[in-house]
Amino acid sequence: MTAAASDAALEAVDLTRRYQLDGVAVEALRGVSLRIGRGEFVAIIGPSGSGKSTLMHLLGCLDRPTSGRLRVNGVEMSQLSDTQLAELRNKTIGFVFQSFHLLARTTALENVALPLVYRGVGKAERRTRARAALEAVGLGHRMEHRPSQMSGGEQQRVAIARALVGEPKVLLADEPTGNLDTRNGAEVMAILDRLNSDSGVAVVLVTHEPEVAGHARRQIHVRDGLIELDTADRTGTGETEQRDGGGAG
Amino acid sequence: MALEALRVNRMRSVLTMFGVVIGVLAVVILVAVGTGAKDAVEKEISGLGTNIILVVPGRLTVGAAPTQSKLNLADVAYVRRVVGDPAKVTVSLQSGETVRVGGTEAFVTVVGTDQNLTNIFDRPLDKGRHLSGTDVDTRRRVAVLGSEVADKLFGDLDPIGRQLTISGARFRVVGVYAKIGQTFGVSRDQEVHIPVTTAQRLLGIARVNGIAVGASGPDEIGPLQSRVVAALTDRYPGEKFSAVTQTQLLGTIGSVLGMLTGVLAAIAGISLLVGGVGVSNIMLVSVRERTREIGLRKALGARQRDVLTQFLIEAVLLTTIGGVIGILLGVGGALAIQALTPVPASVTWWSVALAFGVSAAVGVFFGVAPARRAGRLDPVIALRAE
Ligand SMILES: Nc1ncnc2c1ncn2[C@@H]1O[C@H](COP(=O)(O)OP(=O)(O)OP(=O)(O)O)[C@@H](O)[C@H]1O
Ligand SMILES: [Mg+2]
């Protein structure tokens, strides 16, 4: 258990998250345990309001759980200070959001280089690495474009390049195709597929679309703040993880 | 990065800076005018001559009413004996009178004095001669004119040897002084000097307004001053006499004007403070508007400190850019005032440095609260914000 646990990219045990809204407590998560190996590709699906985004925020260390434990890349997050959490987000996790969240009036290249700013990387190296990341998502010709000068699909690919420029262990994507049409959505998914198989980054994405979920080898169904179904349990957790973990290591 | 953020909201940045610009401009200009006034007065006082002690009856303090004089020519002779060198003591009796030449008349300050005036005060001649001892002893009706009086009454004519009437009595012009300008806002080129003895008879009085003593060096001023006051107090027990030196006058006037400059600077400082409140306000609005940006930066690994620094730099940039603009306008304004108006203005490096320092400090002081708020934003809430 312990050796396997430190091998996992993400390991959550009995996570809960309660929101206090005007004195009324909302139980967004009511005890979620999961284990995601290195290099895995997981889709989280579930009805609106079931707690998917809440779970993603916890897995990405943007938020702290009300109770439960979470290990990210072998590190227990409850023991980290806010500054250490920021460093963890910077180095270990990459985020992709439904609404892209690019800085307006800032070029694609500068948007992609932003995480490296907080890592103290020098300007020249930032540009080199951001350029490489943009080329990897097929946007070598859009370096100096601003978000308003790009299509939704291009913007989301810039966001993916930004998530990957720091070479994270886990990519968390909350409805990455939610704002895109079918063609652009398919293109984004193709990039995520390739990144997962080529560089061994674990990908966890939230989606409502069955085709998108179909790209993942494992589906986790969430309902009312609980995991309703995890396909890894059906196929056999150990087998899946050993195969993917081995591929990454 | 910070500059970019300011550029994005150019109009708002400019309006916010405006408050700081006005504040800094006011500081620079008001300090320049205050300093200019002080410099000008100091120059006037030093321009009188050197090592001068003025003796007047009564107590001399700034703002006190002038005292009725008890001094007469016998007292002047007494002071001459006390001082030891009669040539280093002179006298003055002043009165506003109308002088006339033919149909032209002018209202001037008639000063009754003696031949020793020029041993103590700098009063160069343009034409003719100074008053002489004989003029004083024999009560001659002769006059030496200030340059403006000469211009007004005689125009292009050479006044030397010509006649004029002072309150009905005929006088002969023997000299014209060179132009020397103002002292304390009074033009000294509008004086007419006549022998003190003649003046006493003309005005029908036996007293004089004041006595001036010239010391031979700066070290002698103090002892001489106390000796003269003590001697006069001996002669008139129970009466007060004051002797002021140029240095004391400079000190008193300097401190009054310095205080005035300080008050002006403080008033200007308040407007700078108001500008700072504007900056704080705008930074708060900016933090609210950019909540999502802050959330995103945190998601990408920005620490609380990174976000705080970013907003603080923006605030300081806003105020220092405003400060530099204010300094440029202020220096320009002071130079314009100096060139176009009679008000003296002199820009001092310390007021410029102070204005810049204060505007940067205003940025830090008023930027800290909004920047802390930005730094502490919860990334999840910030990302969900619309
Ligand atoms: N900051 C908050 N304060 C109070 N309640 C919240 C907050 N964030 C989320 N919730 C509640 O927690 C529950 C789960 O929200 P969450 O955003 O995780 O759902 P979701 O599965 O992502 O839904 P969707 O598919 O619509 O994005 C919802 O009932 C929501 O109202
Ligand atoms: Mg959601």
Side-chain angles (χ1 to χ4, degrees):
Chain A
M1 165 81 192
T2 46
S6 56
D7 261 4
L10 294 169
E11 190 187 24
V13 179
D14 225 9
L15 284 184
T16 69
R17 181 67 171 94
R18 187 184 305 124
Y19 292 108
Q20 213 67 38
L21 245 190
D22 305 323
V24 184
V26 180
E27 296 260 12
L29 288 182
R30 300 188 292 150
V32 168
S33 301
L34 55 76
R35 185 169 179 284
I36 293 170
R38 292 165 196 242
E40 264 200 274
F41 196 141
V42 181
I44 296 176
I45 37 195
S48 186
S50 56
K52 305 182 297 293
S53 294
T54 304
L55 177 58
M56 291 295 266
H57 292 146
L58 290 179
L59 295 180
C61 300
L62 283 173
D63 196 8
R64 290 183 187 265
T66 308
S67 71
R69 289 193 299 112
L70 173 67
R71 275 170 175 272
V72 178
N73 201 33
V75 180
E76 175 64 47
M77 72 92 75
S78 64
Q79 280 162 12
L80 300 181
S81 67
D82 283 355
T83 305
Q84 288 169 317
L85 274 190
E87 192 184 331
L88 190 70
R89 290 196 291 266
N90 186 258
K91 293 192 169 159
T92 312
I93 295 160
F95 277 103
V96 175
F97 305 94
Q98 179 176 354
S99 50
F100 322 141
H101 281 316
L102 298 178
L103 294 185
R105 294 170 217 258
T106 305
T107 63
L109 197 69
E110 288 167 332
N111 264 295
V112 172
L114 195 53
L116 300 179
V117 170
Y118 298 118
R119 210 184 279 192
V121 176
K123 184 160 186 170
E125 193 189 337
R126 286 205 304 262
R127 290 183 75 86
T128 314
R129 287 171 70 173
R131 193 173 295 127
L134 275 172
E135 274 158 4
V137 297
L139 285 177
H141 58 301
R142 292 279 184 270
M143 307 266 189
E144 299 303 325
H145 280 58
R146 282 152 207 269
S148 58
Q149 299 164 332
M150 288 186 282
S151 75
E154 286 173 330
Q155 289 184 55
Q156 193 60 301
R157 278 148 67 194
V158 172
I160 293 171
R162 181 181 63 193
L164 292 169
V165 75
E167 295 172 350
K169 300 285 184 286
V170 190
L171 184 88
L172 299 172
D174 195 347
E175 303 192 44
T177 60
N179 282 6
L180 302 177
D181 59 24
T182 321
R183 195 176 59 80
N184 277 307
E187 208 169 326
V188 162
M189 286 314 297
I191 289 170
L192 291 182
D193 274 341
R194 203 177 65 233
L195 287 167
N196 176 247
S197 54
D198 290 0
S199 52
V201 178
V203 176
V204 181
L205 64 81
V206 168
T207 186
H208 287 292
E209 298 160 69
E211 314 92 273
V212 172
H215 284 259
R217 279 171 295 244
R218 175 180 169 193
Q219 276 90 35
I220 297 174
H221 294 252
V222 178
R223 182 182 290 274
D224 290 338
L226 287 170
I227 292 183
E228 186 185 46
L229 173 73
D230 186 342
T231 58
D233 297 335
R234 252 194 314 206
T235 55
T237 320
E239 195 198 321
T240 316
E241 274 167 350
Q242 262 157 20
R243 194 190 66 215
D244 292 331
Chain B
M1 199 159 69
L3 259 182
E4 180 60 37
L6 298 184
R7 210 175 298 136
V8 166
N9 257 302
R10 196 169 302 156
M11 189 63 186
R12 198 166 70 189
S13 302
V14 166
L15 288 176
T16 311
M17 265 179 220
F18 199 62
V20 179
V21 171
I22 297 285
V24 169
L25 179 102
V27 168
V28 173
I29 288 195
L30 290 180
V31 170
V33 168
T35 313
K38 196 170 146 187
D39 288 352
V41 168
E42 285 176 356
K43 211 169 93 203
E44 283 171 10
I45 294 175
S46 331
L48 289 173
T50 43
N51 306 326
I52 300 167
I53 303 165
L54 300 170
V55 183
V56 290
R59 205 193 289 275
L60 192 94
T61 50
V62 173
T67 324
Q68 186 63 40
S69 179
K70 278 220 154 61
L71 295 172
N72 55 36
L73 287 177
D75 299 321
V76 177
Y78 172 69
V79 169
R80 284 203 162 101
R81 284 197 302 280
V82 169
V83 170
D85 180 358
K88 284 295 205 178
V89 177
T90 189
V91 64
S92 132
L93 168 59
Q94 300 178 353
S95 177
E97 301 293 336
T98 303
V99 296
R100 184 174 292 119
V101 174
T104 322
E105 53 173 57
F107 189 75
V108 304
T109 306
V110 169
V111 179
T113 181
D114 64 16
Q115 71 279 10
N116 295 327
L117 176 88
T118 50
N119 299 336
I120 297 158
F121 295 95
D122 291 337
R123 203 68 203 254
L125 275 177
D126 181 34
K127 289 192 181 90
R129 64 166 179 86
H130 285 293
L131 295 176
S132 69
T134 322
D135 292 336
V136 178
D137 294 343
T138 61
R139 288 193 186 135
R140 274 193 193 136
R141 295 216 289 240
V142 291
V144 181
L145 308 184
S147 67
E148 272 179 43
V149 181
D151 280 350
K152 183 154 188 203
L153 295 180
F154 296 101
D156 292 338
L157 297 174
D158 182 0
I160 304 296
R162 292 180 188 276
Q163 304 269 325
L164 79 160
T165 48
I166 302 176
S167 63
R170 283 172 167 278
F171 280 74
R172 186 166 52 84
V173 180
V174 294
V176 176
Y177 288 124
K179 193 170 179 61
I180 58 165
Q182 312 185 326
T183 298
F184 306 133
V186 179
S187 170
R188 304 201 33 236
D189 297 319
Q190 288 177 9
E191 290 174 353
V192 171
H193 287 195
I194 60 175
V196 63
T197 46
T198 320
Q200 285 183 329
R201 178 183 281 177
L202 185 73
L203 300 171
I205 50 178
R207 58 177 177 81
V208 297
N209 290 134
I211 300 172
V213 180
S216 53
D219 295 341
E220 210 211 333
I221 295 178
L224 195 59
Q225 183 185 10
S226 16
R227 210 157 81 225
V228 170
V229 171
L232 281 171
T233 315
D234 264 3
R235 194 169 160 93
Y236 296 103
E239 294 288 327
K240 286 269 178 220
F241 294 93
S242 311
V244 289
T245 63
Q246 261 165 306
T247 328
Q248 288 169 334
L249 216 54
L250 279 176
T252 309
I253 290 178
S255 69
V256 169
L257 286 175
M259 213 150 71
L260 191 73
T261 306
V263 169
L264 290 178
I267 291 171
I270 289 172
S271 70
L272 197 54
L273 217 65
V274 173
V277 173
V279 170
S280 194
N281 207 2
I282 283 304
M283 290 310 294
L284 280 175
V285 171
S286 173
V287 168
R288 174 156 306 170
E289 274 183 2
R290 287 154 66 196
T291 301
R292 262 151 58 104
E293 175 193 327
I294 295 162
L296 170 76
R297 286 178 185 276
K298 287 199 145 181
L300 298 182
R303 290 156 296 184
Q304 188 164 325
R305 172 154 46 97
D306 295 320
V307 175
L308 187 139
T309 312
Q310 180 192 342
F311 278 86
L312 208 52
I313 287 176
E314 269 175 43
V316 170
L317 217 54
L318 204 59
T319 58
T320 48
I321 291 176
V324 168
I325 296 175
I327 286 170
L328 293 179
L329 291 179
V331 170
L335 292 179
I337 287 176
Q338 174 85 307
L340 304 176
T341 71
V343 179
S346 103
V347 176
T348 51
W349 68 267
W350 66 262
S351 72
V352 170
L354 187 78
F356 184 81
V358 168
S359 60
V362 161
V364 173
F365 186 78
F366 289 99
V368 135
R372 283 171 76 115
R373 175 175 292 196
R376 286 188 184 150
L377 273 180
D378 181 341
V380 172
I381 293 173
L383 277 171
R384 282 186 199 250
E386 275 319 310

